[in-house]
Amino acid sequence: APVVPGALASVVPGFDVVLVEPDGTPVPDGQEGIIAIRRPPFQLSQGYNDNAAAWDARWADDLFITGDLARRDDQGLWWFTGRADDVIVTSGYNVGPVEVESVLLEHPGIAEAAAVAAPDPARGSIVRAVVVPAPEAPPRETLTKELQDAVRARVGRHAYPRIVDYVDALPRTETGKLRRAELRHQPQTTGA
């Protein structure tokens, strides 16, 4: 199959992979769901070492729920959208951090960006952007407004970052993967 930039590779032959709700209910094409793998006729794995309860919690009948979010378009292409545990629920809306980050990274004043949930007494949580400004970035007050306006316009009013924190570097693993959990627990430097 031809490579489409941004799309995932196709499913490995021999595996039945579907998109589902957390309870294992299938979602239709075009909607976001959790990637799940139907138990193959051969051994997938025996479980998590010393954590049978966590292994059992990953299963809905014969589906292994991965925790990775994706959508499948009408061409059959799969598009990764984030992790189920990274979804930000604010005022009843689900916000995928990848959607917000994509808009933030389009701004020439941003070198790196992450979106995480921040607690909020009225909304449960709100979107918090943690960004590394580029050397040519405008003043922070201007940049914050531009970032918020861009997310409002492209993703929606519910998804704009009410908090924008500026850092020198984002926490990453040795392989470069963003450590969202660490960001969620870092104190914020600006108010909502």
Side-chain angles (χ1 to χ4, degrees):
V3 174
V4 176
L8 298 173
S10 62
V11 175
V12 174
F15 289 89
D16 182 16
V17 181
V18 293
L19 294 177
V20 298
E21 298 289 344
D23 65 359
T25 305
V27 299
D29 284 350
Q31 289 187 15
E32 183 179 80
I34 303 170
I35 298 173
I37 304 167
R38 193 166 312 284
R39 188 185 308 269
F42 44 87
Q43 187 64 37
L44 179 64
S45 177
Q46 294 182 8
Y48 295 142
N49 190 33
D50 296 328
N51 199 346
W55 177 256
D56 292 343
R58 286 283 190 180
W59 291 89
D61 294 323
D62 68 338
L63 290 172
F64 180 77
I65 311 297
T66 66
D68 291 319
L69 297 172
R71 67 178 172 77
R72 188 170 170 214
D73 67 19
D74 56 2
Q75 307 295 313
L77 296 172
W78 294 66
W79 300 86
F80 178 76
T81 57
R83 288 277 307 159
D85 51 2
D86 289 337
V87 170
I88 303 162
V89 181
T90 178
S91 297
Y93 291 96
N94 290 345
V95 178
V98 174
E99 292 179 285
V100 175
E101 291 163 0
S102 295
V103 174
L104 297 174
L105 288 168
E106 288 179 8
H107 194 290
I110 296 300
E112 292 184 86
V116 294
D120 181 78
R123 297 172 188 90
S125 63
I126 55 175
V127 178
R128 172 182 171 225
V130 183
V131 298
V132 177
E136 64 277 4
R140 288 186 178 180
E141 186 176 305
T142 302
L143 183 55
T144 296
K145 182 171 181 351
E146 289 175 359
L147 295 173
Q148 290 172 328
D149 289 347
V151 174
R152 266 192 208 102
R154 299 267 310 278
V155 183
R157 181 162 177 74
H158 64 283
Y160 86 91
R162 294 177 183 271
I163 298 170
V164 179
D165 282 331
Y166 294 85
V167 296
D168 294 330
L170 295 177
R172 296 192 178 274
T173 65
E174 289 181 10
T175 59
K177 184 177 177 184
L178 183 63
R179 292 184 174 169
R180 286 186 200 282
E182 190 174 322
L183 281 176
R184 283 192 292 267
H185 299 299
Q186 282 181 351
Q188 61 193 50
T189 59
T190 59

